[in-house]
């Protein structure tokens, strides 16, 4: 039993339409995924930019407090380094990796630690506060500063690692694909 000319034409038209629809659907889906990934990366990049800025602000504030023993006066409209950290951790919860979020939380804890240690040193009543190795509260503050520096360095390192990912060369994918096919042939 053969196909008539009308049946062949309708079958060809249906298959052609199906192929056109399938390719259009596939291209649209791939474009949507790429655009979504691009939007997420742009938002992530904004959060990462902000993270680097906040880490540097905190570092400068901490270094100034360590050097002078007093918190600098903040003019109206100046950014609040301590308050920025909470907002940063919240944004990092959405766009950052789990490891980066954990590192940012450690920076926040370290920031609170050296801030509390400085407050304990500044308000001590037994003696006048002095910046020396013989004052245990100042030493505790310096230890907290060290922990804070290490936590900030970890965050900056993770940010750099995420931004500057070395992609394997294109031939590496072909090599990996060839190795998988070879393994399948050996297994069968």
């Amino acid at each position: 039993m053969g196909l008539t000319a009308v049946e062949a034409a309708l079958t060809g038209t249906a298959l052609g339409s199906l192929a056109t629809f399938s390719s259009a659907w596939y291209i649209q889906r791939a474009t949507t995924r790429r655009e979504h990934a691009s939007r997420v990366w742009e938002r992530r990049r904004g959060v990462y930019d902000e993270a680097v800025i906040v880490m540097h602000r905190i570092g400068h504030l901490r270094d100034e407090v360590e050097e002078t023993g007093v918190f600098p006066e903040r003019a109206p409209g100046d950014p609040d380094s301590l308050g920025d950290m909470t907002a940063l951790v919240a944004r990092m919860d959405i766009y950052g990796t789990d490891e980066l979020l954990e590192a940012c939380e450690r920076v926040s804890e370290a920031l609170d630690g050296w801030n509390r240690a400085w407050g304990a040193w500044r308000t001590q009543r037994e003696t006048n506060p002095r910046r020396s190795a013989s004052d245990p509260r100042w030493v505790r503050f310096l230890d907290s500063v060290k922990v804070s520096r290490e936590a900030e360095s970890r965050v900056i390192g993770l940010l750099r690692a995420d931004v500057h990912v070395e992609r394997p060369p294109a031939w590496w994918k072909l090599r990996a694909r060839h190795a998988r096919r070879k393994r399948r042939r050996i297994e069968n």
Side-chain angles (χ1 to χ4, degrees):
M1 177 172 156
L3 289 177
T4 65
V6 172
E7 291 173 330
L10 289 175
T11 303
T13 303
L15 289 175
S17 297
L18 181 63
T20 302
F21 173 78
S22 298
S23 66
W25 177 79
Y26 180 77
I27 290 169
Q28 181 62 38
R29 189 166 180 229
T31 303
T32 302
R33 282 183 180 172
R34 187 181 66 239
E35 287 174 356
H36 175 71
S38 178
R39 280 192 313 270
V40 168
W41 175 248
E42 284 301 313
R43 290 178 184 149
R44 181 180 279 184
R45 186 183 61 80
V47 171
Y48 285 6
D49 287 348
E50 182 184 351
V52 170
I53 291 168
V54 168
M55 294 302 138
H56 285 289
R57 279 187 193 149
I58 289 171
H60 290 301
L61 174 66
R62 181 195 57 237
D63 292 344
E64 189 170 342
V65 170
E66 181 183 12
E67 186 178 312
T68 63
V70 295
F71 262 85
E73 289 294 321
R74 196 168 60 98
D78 281 353
D80 179 16
S81 303
L82 306 177
D84 289 346
M85 194 62 210
T86 306
L88 176 66
V89 170
R91 281 198 262 331
M92 200 60 75
D93 190 23
I94 296 170
Y95 296 109
T97 62
D98 291 339
E99 189 177 20
L100 193 54
L101 174 62
E102 185 179 317
C104 282
E105 288 171 346
R106 286 198 178 135
V107 168
S108 184
E109 291 167 6
L111 174 65
D112 289 342
W114 70 257
N115 197 359
R116 272 189 258 111
W118 176 83
W121 169 79
R122 187 74 177 169
T123 59
Q124 61 185 319
R125 296 187 182 176
E126 300 88 41
T127 60
N128 291 331
R130 53 189 184 281
R131 297 176 323 177
S132 72
S134 63
D135 187 346
R137 291 185 181 177
W138 182 254
V139 171
R140 192 172 311 125
F141 168 73
L142 293 178
D143 291 342
S144 299
V145 164
K146 182 180 176 188
V147 169
S148 178
R149 279 194 182 108
E150 291 168 357
E152 289 168 26
S153 294
R154 172 115 173 99
V155 168
I156 296 292
L158 288 171
L159 288 169
R160 285 183 178 153
D162 197 20
V163 170
H164 301 294
V165 175
E166 285 191 35
R167 306 259 186 242
W171 60 267
W172 189 258
K173 287 182 181 178
L174 295 175
R175 182 172 177 246
R177 190 178 307 147
H178 176 69
R180 279 193 303 268
R181 288 181 184 163
K182 191 174 182 180
R183 270 187 262 130
R184 283 187 203 143
R185 276 188 254 137
I186 291 172
E187 290 171 357
N188 293 332

